[in-house]
Amino acid sequence: MRIDLRSDTLTRPTPEMLLAMQEAKVGDDVYEEDPTVNLLQERLAQMFGVEAALFCPSGTMTNQIAIKALTQPQDEVICYKQAHIYKYEGGGLAFNAQLSVKLIDKQDGILKPQDIISCINPDDIHYPTTRLVALENTANRGGGAYYRLQEDIIPIRHLCNEHQLFLHLDGARLWNALAVTNEKPEDYGKTFDSISVCFSKSLGCPVGSALLGSKALIKRGKRLRKVLGGGWRQAGFLAAAVLYALDNHRERLEEDHQRAAILAEALRQKSYVKYVMPAPTNIVIFQMENTEIAQKLVNYLQSHNCWIGKISEDSCRMVTHLDFTDLMLESLLVILHQFNP
Ligand SMILES: *Cc1c(COP(=O)(O)O)cnc(C)c1O
Protein backbone atom coordinates (compact mmCIF):
# COMPACT_ATOMS: atom_id res chain seq x y z
CA MET A 1 0.00 0.00 0.00
CA ARG A 2 1.54 3.27 -1.13
CA ILE A 3 0.88 6.24 1.14
CA ASP A 4 1.70 9.57 -0.47
CA LEU A 5 1.32 12.69 1.66
CA ARG A 6 3.80 14.93 -0.18
CA SER A 7 0.91 17.04 -1.46
CA ASP A 8 -2.86 17.11 -1.87
CA THR A 9 -2.29 17.46 -5.62
CA LEU A 10 -1.41 13.75 -5.88
CA THR A 11 -4.98 12.44 -5.92
CA ARG A 12 -6.35 10.47 -8.89
CA PRO A 13 -9.87 10.96 -10.21
CA THR A 14 -12.34 8.49 -8.69
CA PRO A 15 -14.25 6.14 -11.03
CA GLU A 16 -17.39 8.28 -10.54
CA MET A 17 -15.46 11.44 -11.42
CA LEU A 18 -14.04 9.76 -14.53
CA LEU A 19 -17.54 8.77 -15.56
CA ALA A 20 -18.76 12.35 -15.16
CA MET A 21 -15.81 13.49 -17.31
CA GLN A 22 -16.50 10.90 -19.97
CA GLU A 23 -20.13 11.96 -20.24
CA ALA A 24 -19.39 15.70 -20.49
CA LYS A 25 -20.80 17.72 -23.35
CA VAL A 26 -17.95 19.73 -24.81
CA GLY A 27 -17.11 22.41 -27.37
CA ASP A 28 -14.27 24.81 -28.10
CA ASP A 29 -13.77 27.01 -25.06
CA VAL A 30 -11.66 29.58 -26.94
CA TYR A 31 -14.86 30.18 -28.93
CA GLU A 32 -16.68 30.21 -25.57
CA GLU A 33 -18.67 27.25 -26.91
CA ASP A 34 -17.96 24.61 -24.31
CA PRO A 35 -21.28 24.11 -22.49
CA THR A 36 -19.74 22.38 -19.48
CA VAL A 37 -17.10 25.10 -18.99
CA ASN A 38 -19.81 27.74 -19.33
CA LEU A 39 -21.98 25.93 -16.80
CA LEU A 40 -19.10 25.67 -14.34
CA GLN A 41 -18.22 29.34 -14.71
CA GLU A 42 -21.85 30.36 -14.17
CA ARG A 43 -22.15 28.10 -11.16
CA LEU A 44 -18.97 29.48 -9.59
CA ALA A 45 -19.99 33.09 -10.22
CA GLN A 46 -23.32 32.42 -8.57
CA MET A 47 -21.78 30.54 -5.69
CA PHE A 48 -19.37 33.40 -4.90
CA GLY A 49 -21.85 36.15 -5.71
CA VAL A 50 -19.51 37.67 -8.30
CA GLU A 51 -20.22 38.83 -11.85
CA ALA A 52 -18.04 36.29 -13.61
CA ALA A 53 -15.61 33.38 -13.37
CA LEU A 54 -12.84 32.04 -15.60
CA PHE A 55 -11.80 28.39 -15.59
CA CYS A 56 -8.00 28.12 -15.85
CA PRO A 57 -5.39 25.34 -16.03
CA SER A 58 -3.57 26.04 -12.74
CA GLY A 59 -3.59 28.03 -9.55
CA THR A 60 -0.34 29.64 -10.54
CA MET A 61 -1.81 30.89 -13.79
CA THR A 62 -4.93 32.13 -12.03
CA ASN A 63 -2.93 34.07 -9.43
CA GLN A 64 -0.66 35.52 -12.09
CA ILE A 65 -3.58 36.62 -14.25
CA ALA A 66 -5.33 38.29 -11.31
CA ILE A 67 -2.22 40.12 -10.17
CA LYS A 68 -1.30 41.26 -13.67
CA ALA A 69 -4.86 42.43 -14.30
CA LEU A 70 -4.96 44.56 -11.14
CA THR A 71 -1.54 46.23 -11.38
CA GLN A 72 0.75 48.28 -13.60
CA PRO A 73 4.48 47.63 -14.05
CA GLN A 74 6.42 49.40 -11.24
CA ASP A 75 3.67 48.80 -8.68
CA GLU A 76 4.23 46.90 -5.46
CA VAL A 77 2.42 43.95 -3.89
CA ILE A 78 2.21 43.21 -0.17
CA CYS A 79 2.12 39.55 0.83
CA TYR A 80 3.60 37.22 3.38
CA LYS A 81 7.16 36.05 3.10
CA GLN A 82 6.34 32.45 2.21
CA ALA A 83 3.35 33.26 0.00
CA HIS A 84 2.89 30.96 -2.97
CA ILE A 85 2.63 33.96 -5.32
CA TYR A 86 6.10 35.07 -4.25
CA LYS A 87 7.92 31.90 -3.35
CA TYR A 88 6.54 29.20 -5.63
CA GLU A 89 5.48 30.85 -8.88
CA GLY A 90 8.86 31.04 -10.55
CA GLY A 91 9.31 34.76 -10.04
CA GLY A 92 6.11 35.41 -11.96
CA LEU A 93 5.43 38.68 -10.15
CA ALA A 94 8.56 40.08 -11.77
CA PHE A 95 8.36 38.15 -15.03
CA ASN A 96 4.68 38.59 -15.82
CA ALA A 97 3.73 41.80 -14.10
CA GLN A 98 7.00 43.68 -13.46
CA LEU A 99 6.17 44.21 -9.83
CA SER A 100 8.17 44.56 -6.68
CA VAL A 101 7.04 43.03 -3.40
CA LYS A 102 6.98 43.91 0.27
CA LEU A 103 7.13 40.76 2.35
CA ILE A 104 5.70 40.22 5.81
CA ASP A 105 7.27 37.59 8.02
CA LYS A 106 4.57 35.61 9.84
CA GLN A 107 4.93 32.06 11.02
CA ASP A 108 1.33 31.10 10.29
CA GLY A 109 1.01 33.31 7.20
CA ILE A 110 -2.03 35.11 8.59
CA LEU A 111 -1.60 38.87 8.09
CA LYS A 112 -3.02 41.51 10.43
CA PRO A 113 -3.92 45.09 9.44
CA GLN A 114 -1.04 46.44 11.55
CA ASP A 115 1.43 44.24 9.58
CA ILE A 116 0.14 45.69 6.34
CA ILE A 117 -0.07 49.38 7.35
CA SER A 118 3.68 49.67 7.85
CA CYS A 119 4.26 48.21 4.35
CA ILE A 120 2.23 50.80 2.46
CA ASN A 121 4.56 53.24 0.73
CA PRO A 122 4.05 57.00 0.96
CA ASP A 123 3.23 58.89 -2.24
CA ASP A 124 6.87 59.69 -3.01
CA ILE A 125 8.66 59.08 -6.31
CA HIS A 126 11.42 57.13 -4.57
CA TYR A 127 9.03 54.30 -3.81
CA PRO A 128 7.03 51.94 -5.96
CA THR A 129 3.30 52.50 -5.78
CA THR A 130 1.67 50.10 -3.35
CA ARG A 131 -1.24 48.68 -5.32
CA LEU A 132 -2.27 45.27 -4.07
CA VAL A 133 -2.49 43.19 -0.92
CA ALA A 134 -2.56 39.43 -1.47
CA LEU A 135 -3.78 37.02 1.20
CA GLU A 136 -3.44 33.24 1.14
CA ASN A 137 -6.23 31.18 2.69
CA THR A 138 -5.41 28.62 3.90
CA ALA A 139 -1.72 29.48 4.24
CA ASN A 140 0.32 26.64 2.76
CA ARG A 141 3.61 27.32 4.54
CA GLY A 142 1.65 28.46 7.56
CA GLY A 143 0.65 24.84 8.18
CA GLY A 144 -2.81 25.31 6.68
CA ALA A 145 -3.73 28.17 9.04
CA TYR A 146 -6.94 29.93 8.02
CA TYR A 147 -8.38 33.43 8.19
CA ARG A 148 -11.77 34.22 9.69
CA LEU A 149 -13.66 36.54 7.40
CA GLN A 150 -15.23 38.92 9.92
CA GLU A 151 -12.42 39.13 12.44
CA ASP A 152 -9.37 38.91 10.19
CA ILE A 153 -10.23 39.85 6.62
CA ILE A 154 -12.87 42.59 6.87
CA PRO A 155 -10.48 44.92 8.79
CA ILE A 156 -7.90 44.35 6.02
CA ARG A 157 -10.56 45.18 3.42
CA HIS A 158 -11.28 48.46 5.24
CA LEU A 159 -7.59 49.27 5.31
CA CYS A 160 -7.33 48.59 1.56
CA ASN A 161 -10.31 50.84 0.88
CA GLU A 162 -8.75 53.62 2.94
CA HIS A 163 -5.52 53.41 0.94
CA GLN A 164 -7.09 52.56 -2.43
CA LEU A 165 -5.46 49.15 -2.62
CA PHE A 166 -6.80 46.07 -4.37
CA LEU A 167 -7.23 42.89 -2.37
CA HIS A 168 -6.50 39.50 -3.97
CA LEU A 169 -7.12 36.10 -2.43
CA ASP A 170 -4.99 33.10 -3.25
CA GLY A 171 -7.66 30.63 -2.23
CA ALA A 172 -5.95 27.49 -3.51
CA ARG A 173 -7.26 25.82 -0.34
CA LEU A 174 -10.19 28.12 0.40
CA TRP A 175 -12.41 24.99 0.41
CA ASN A 176 -10.52 23.74 3.45
CA ALA A 177 -10.93 27.07 5.24
CA LEU A 178 -14.67 27.14 4.48
CA ALA A 179 -15.05 23.57 5.75
CA VAL A 180 -13.80 24.73 9.16
CA THR A 181 -15.41 28.16 9.45
CA ASN A 182 -18.70 27.39 7.65
CA GLU A 183 -18.45 30.83 6.04
CA LYS A 184 -20.22 31.38 2.75
CA PRO A 185 -18.34 31.67 -0.55
CA GLU A 186 -20.53 34.68 -1.42
CA ASP A 187 -19.16 36.59 1.58
CA TYR A 188 -15.69 36.05 0.13
CA GLY A 189 -16.87 37.17 -3.30
CA LYS A 190 -18.09 40.44 -1.82
CA THR A 191 -14.83 41.13 -0.02
CA PHE A 192 -12.07 40.61 -2.60
CA ASP A 193 -11.30 42.24 -5.93
CA SER A 194 -10.09 38.89 -7.24
CA ILE A 195 -10.13 35.33 -5.96
CA SER A 196 -8.26 32.29 -7.20
CA VAL A 197 -9.51 28.85 -6.16
CA CYS A 198 -8.02 25.43 -7.02
CA PHE A 199 -9.83 22.21 -7.74
CA SER A 200 -6.70 20.09 -8.19
CA LYS A 201 -5.90 20.06 -4.49
CA SER A 202 -8.33 19.08 -1.78
CA LEU A 203 -11.28 18.59 -4.12
CA GLY A 204 -9.42 15.85 -5.98
CA CYS A 205 -9.71 17.03 -9.60
CA PRO A 206 -6.95 16.21 -12.08
CA VAL A 207 -6.61 19.81 -13.32
CA GLY A 208 -8.17 23.19 -12.81
CA SER A 209 -8.51 26.48 -10.99
CA ALA A 210 -10.79 29.46 -11.37
CA LEU A 211 -10.52 33.22 -11.25
CA LEU A 212 -13.51 35.01 -9.73
CA GLY A 213 -14.38 38.69 -9.90
CA SER A 214 -16.03 41.47 -11.87
CA LYS A 215 -16.91 41.23 -15.56
CA ALA A 216 -14.13 43.69 -16.34
CA LEU A 217 -11.58 41.59 -14.44
CA ILE A 218 -12.63 38.40 -16.21
CA LYS A 219 -12.59 40.09 -19.62
CA ARG A 220 -9.02 41.25 -19.04
CA GLY A 221 -8.24 37.87 -17.47
CA LYS A 222 -9.33 36.01 -20.60
CA ARG A 223 -6.88 38.03 -22.69
CA LEU A 224 -4.08 37.35 -20.19
CA ARG A 225 -4.92 33.65 -20.01
CA LYS A 226 -4.59 33.50 -23.81
CA VAL A 227 -1.16 35.12 -23.90
CA LEU A 228 0.03 32.73 -21.20
CA GLY A 229 -1.00 29.82 -23.42
CA GLY A 230 -4.04 28.97 -21.33
CA GLY A 231 -6.70 29.30 -24.04
CA TRP A 232 -7.88 25.71 -24.06
CA ARG A 233 -10.31 23.88 -26.25
CA GLN A 234 -12.57 21.01 -25.08
CA ALA A 235 -11.91 21.84 -21.44
CA GLY A 236 -15.41 20.68 -20.58
CA PHE A 237 -14.01 17.24 -19.75
CA LEU A 238 -12.07 18.92 -16.96
CA ALA A 239 -14.92 21.21 -15.97
CA ALA A 240 -17.11 18.12 -15.56
CA ALA A 241 -14.66 16.80 -12.97
CA VAL A 242 -14.94 20.10 -11.09
CA LEU A 243 -18.74 20.08 -11.17
CA TYR A 244 -18.64 16.54 -9.83
CA ALA A 245 -16.17 17.50 -7.08
CA LEU A 246 -18.20 20.55 -5.99
CA ASP A 247 -21.17 18.24 -5.45
CA ASN A 248 -19.36 15.31 -3.90
CA HIS A 249 -15.98 16.19 -2.43
CA ARG A 250 -16.58 19.26 -0.32
CA GLU A 251 -18.39 17.67 2.60
CA ARG A 252 -15.68 15.08 3.16
CA LEU A 253 -12.92 17.67 3.73
CA GLU A 254 -13.56 17.46 7.47
CA GLU A 255 -12.19 13.88 7.30
CA ASP A 256 -8.89 15.15 5.90
CA HIS A 257 -8.71 17.67 8.74
CA GLN A 258 -9.37 15.03 11.38
CA ARG A 259 -6.68 12.76 9.97
CA ALA A 260 -4.19 15.65 9.87
CA ALA A 261 -4.99 16.47 13.52
CA ILE A 262 -4.36 12.84 14.52
CA LEU A 263 -1.04 12.81 12.66
CA ALA A 264 0.00 16.12 14.26
CA GLU A 265 -0.85 14.82 17.72
CA ALA A 266 1.07 11.57 17.15
CA LEU A 267 4.13 13.52 15.97
CA ARG A 268 3.98 15.75 19.07
CA GLN A 269 4.56 12.65 21.19
CA LYS A 270 7.75 11.64 19.36
CA SER A 271 11.08 12.39 21.03
CA TYR A 272 12.73 13.01 17.64
CA VAL A 273 10.28 15.76 16.72
CA LYS A 274 11.20 19.20 17.98
CA TYR A 275 8.09 21.15 17.01
CA VAL A 276 4.78 20.52 15.26
CA MET A 277 2.92 23.51 13.89
CA PRO A 278 -0.78 23.77 14.72
CA ALA A 279 -2.58 21.74 12.02
CA PRO A 280 -6.10 23.16 11.84
CA THR A 281 -6.83 21.91 8.29
CA ASN A 282 -5.06 19.33 6.09
CA ILE A 283 -1.38 20.29 6.37
CA VAL A 284 1.02 19.01 9.04
CA ILE A 285 4.39 20.78 9.16
CA PHE A 286 6.91 19.60 11.71
CA GLN A 287 10.50 20.30 12.59
CA MET A 288 12.91 17.50 13.55
CA GLU A 289 15.60 17.67 16.22
CA ASN A 290 18.27 17.97 13.50
CA THR A 291 18.76 17.72 9.74
CA GLU A 292 20.21 14.23 9.93
CA ILE A 293 17.16 12.83 11.69
CA ALA A 294 14.88 14.62 9.22
CA GLN A 295 16.56 12.88 6.28
CA LYS A 296 16.58 9.57 8.15
CA LEU A 297 12.84 9.80 8.74
CA VAL A 298 12.11 10.58 5.09
CA ASN A 299 14.27 7.64 3.97
CA TYR A 300 12.81 5.30 6.58
CA LEU A 301 9.27 6.16 5.50
CA GLN A 302 10.18 5.70 1.83
CA SER A 303 11.49 2.24 2.62
CA HIS A 304 7.94 1.51 3.88
CA ASN A 305 6.39 3.03 0.74
CA CYS A 306 5.31 6.18 2.61
CA TRP A 307 6.14 9.51 1.03
CA ILE A 308 6.29 12.84 2.85
CA GLY A 309 7.67 16.19 1.77
CA LYS A 310 10.81 17.83 3.03
CA ILE A 311 10.32 21.58 3.01
CA SER A 312 13.64 22.64 4.52
CA GLU A 313 16.79 21.02 5.93
CA ASP A 314 15.05 20.00 9.13
CA SER A 315 11.31 20.33 8.41
CA CYS A 316 8.83 17.98 6.80
CA ARG A 317 5.29 18.27 5.52
CA MET A 318 2.40 15.84 5.31
CA VAL A 319 -0.76 16.84 3.46
CA THR A 320 -3.91 14.75 3.84
CA HIS A 321 -6.30 14.30 0.92
CA LEU A 322 -8.98 12.27 -0.82
CA ASP A 323 -6.70 9.30 -1.48
CA PHE A 324 -5.52 8.99 2.14
CA THR A 325 -7.84 6.63 4.00
CA ASP A 326 -8.30 5.63 7.65
CA LEU A 327 -6.61 2.34 6.87
CA MET A 328 -3.56 4.21 5.56
CA LEU A 329 -3.61 6.48 8.60
CA GLU A 330 -3.52 3.49 10.95
CA SER A 331 -0.72 1.90 9.00
CA LEU A 332 1.29 5.15 8.94
CA LEU A 333 0.88 5.61 12.71
CA VAL A 334 2.31 2.12 13.29
CA ILE A 335 5.21 2.77 10.90
CA LEU A 336 5.97 6.11 12.62
CA HIS A 337 5.83 4.43 15.98
CA GLN A 338 8.50 1.97 14.88
CA PHE A 339 10.94 4.63 13.71
CA ASN A 340 14.10 4.56 15.75
CA PRO A 341 16.51 7.38 14.91
C1 LIG B 1 -0.77 24.87 -4.98
C2 LIG B 1 -0.97 26.29 -4.70
C3 LIG B 1 -1.21 27.21 -5.74
C4 LIG B 1 -1.31 26.87 -7.21
O1 LIG B 1 -0.73 25.74 -7.60
P1 LIG B 1 -0.80 25.12 -9.07
O2 LIG B 1 0.03 23.91 -8.90
O3 LIG B 1 -0.24 26.11 -10.00
O4 LIG B 1 -2.23 24.81 -9.37
C5 LIG B 1 -1.40 28.52 -5.39
N1 LIG B 1 -1.37 28.91 -4.11
C6 LIG B 1 -1.17 28.06 -3.09
C7 LIG B 1 -1.19 28.57 -1.70
C8 LIG B 1 -0.95 26.72 -3.35
O5 LIG B 1 -0.73 25.89 -2.34
Side-chain angles (χ1 to χ4, degrees):
M1 179 165 60
R2 181 185 168 94
I3 298 175
D4 201 337
L5 298 182
R6 288 172 300 162
S7 172
D8 45 3
T9 55
L10 293 156
T11 55
R12 311 291 162 88
T14 62
E16 295 80 10
M17 182 182 276
L18 281 170
L19 194 65
M21 294 169 74
Q22 194 180 322
E23 288 174 350
K25 292 194 175 64
V26 298
D28 190 328
D29 182 50
V30 172
Y31 289 78
E32 303 183 355
E33 285 174 7
D34 188 299
T36 311
V37 170
N38 292 341
L39 181 68
L40 172 65
Q41 291 176 164
E42 279 158 32
R43 177 160 169 195
L44 288 168
Q46 197 168 29
M47 191 174 175
F48 280 84
V50 293
E51 285 177 356
L54 183 66
F55 187 40
C56 294
S58 73
T60 299
M61 190 188 285
T62 313
N63 279 329
Q64 292 296 321
I65 288 172
I67 292 164
K68 174 77 183 161
L70 294 173
T71 58
Q72 297 295 325
Q74 226 184 335
D75 285 348
E76 192 160 83
V77 177
I78 297 171
C79 64
Y80 100 102
K81 199 176 169 183
Q82 314 245 43
H84 197 280
I85 59 162
Y86 168 71
K87 191 164 174 166
Y88 298 115
E89 298 191 1
L93 295 180
F95 186 80
N96 293 315
Q98 294 165 261
L99 302 176
S100 63
V101 279
K102 194 92 87 154
L103 300 172
I104 298 173
D105 198 1
K106 289 294 247 199
Q107 207 206 8
D108 65 358
I110 303 298
L111 305 185
K112 304 277 180 213
Q114 59 267 31
D115 303 322
I116 295 167
I117 287 176
S118 57
C119 291
I120 301 171
N121 292 330
D123 184 9
D124 172 327
I125 56 161
H126 291 91
Y127 303 111
T129 304
T130 306
R131 185 77 63 195
L132 177 78
V133 174
L135 307 181
E136 191 174 297
N137 194 18
T138 67
N140 178 5
R141 287 298 304 268
Y146 58 87
Y147 285 86
R148 289 154 309 164
L149 188 68
Q150 283 308 322
E151 292 97 316
D152 303 323
I153 298 178
I154 296 295
I156 294 174
R157 176 75 261 183
H158 291 320
L159 179 70
C160 289
N161 291 350
E162 236 172 86
H163 294 269
Q164 292 165 350
L165 307 177
F166 291 122
L167 185 59
H168 170 70
L169 177 66
D170 177 353
R173 293 189 184 80
L174 181 61
W175 311 112
N176 295 86
L178 296 178
V180 179
T181 62
N182 286 315
E183 291 159 344
K184 293 195 201 76
E186 63 194 72
D187 291 328
Y188 272 81
K190 269 185 229 154
T191 306
F192 288 88
D193 297 291
S194 57
I195 297 178
S196 159
V197 290
C198 289
F199 310 109
S200 53
K201 296 223 163 121
S202 40
L203 294 188
C205 296
V207 176
S209 285
L211 175 65
L212 309 160
S214 67
K215 272 191 185 139
L217 176 86
I218 298 303
K219 184 166 183 228
R220 176 129 168 76
K222 213 172 269 182
R223 202 171 255 287
L224 290 165
R225 185 185 66 172
K226 185 68 181 159
V227 78
L228 293 170
W232 46 8
R233 304 296 179 175
Q234 285 73 30
F237 291 117
L238 299 168
V242 177
L243 288 165
Y244 177 85
L246 289 172
D247 286 334
N248 296 283
H249 291 171
R250 276 190 72 193
E251 280 193 4
R252 57 158 306 286
L253 288 174
E254 187 49 39
E255 283 178 37
D256 294 346
H257 299 175
Q258 283 163 8
R259 290 181 190 120
I262 292 169
L263 280 172
E265 199 40 49
L267 288 164
R268 279 189 195 103
Q269 313 299 325
K270 308 288 185 235
S271 57
Y272 54 84
V273 176
K274 189 169 170 188
Y275 175 67
V276 184
M277 286 184 79
T281 55
N282 70 329
I283 300 175
V284 184
I285 293 178
F286 57 102
Q287 190 187 14
M288 305 293 281
E289 279 299 338
N290 60 55
T291 63
E292 202 184 324
I293 299 181
Q295 195 52 54
K296 257 192 192 161
L297 177 70
V298 172
N299 295 345
Y300 163 80
L301 289 174
Q302 274 180 24
S303 72
H304 288 79
N305 209 11
C306 299
W307 299 72
I308 67 170
K310 214 158 146 252
I311 58 168
S312 73
E313 285 294 300
D314 63 356
S315 296
C316 301
R317 186 181 82 153
M318 298 181 184
V319 191
T320 60
H321 52 68
L322 184 63
D323 289 354
F324 180 60
T325 62
D326 273 334
L327 195 68
M328 292 176 182
L329 173 64
E330 270 163 45
S331 163
L332 179 57
L333 289 172
V334 172
I335 292 165
L336 277 173
H337 189 68
Q338 289 165 352
F339 176 58
N340 186 359

